[in-house]
Amino acid sequence: MFQRAPKRLDEEGMVCAAIAALFEEGYDRATIELALIRQAPVDLDLLAQCYERLFAGEAAPEPQHRAA
């Protein structure tokens, strides 16, 4: 039987797009990080770089909740 390493979320564009999409849906940073990490292993430095790129200059971005 072959042992394979799990697929990793290691493409910067994909990780940044996932963060942006989940953030626009109203999820906070902690929830986004948990969701991505549960999906597949994610390089935490890459995760931090994507947050820096997406939210540079914003102290603590808050998700925009949609009106029901």
Side-chain angles (χ1 to χ4, degrees):
M1 183 115 302
F2 295 103
Q3 288 186 345
R4 298 181 191 166
K7 290 186 177 185
R8 293 183 57 86
L9 292 176
D10 57 3
E11 292 180 27
E12 184 176 0
M14 181 188 329
V15 173
C16 288
I19 291 170
L22 291 168
F23 184 80
E24 287 187 19
E25 290 297 319
Y27 295 99
D28 64 359
R29 183 174 181 155
T31 305
I32 291 170
E33 288 178 3
L34 283 174
L36 292 178
I37 291 167
R38 285 182 180 160
Q39 195 66 30
V42 180
D43 182 316
L44 297 179
D45 290 332
L46 177 60
L47 198 60
Q49 288 172 357
C50 287
Y51 269 99
E52 180 65 29
R53 181 206 269 182
L54 292 169
F55 305 112
E58 295 182 32
E62 292 296 323
Q64 307 246 342
H65 296 285
R66 293 188 211 175

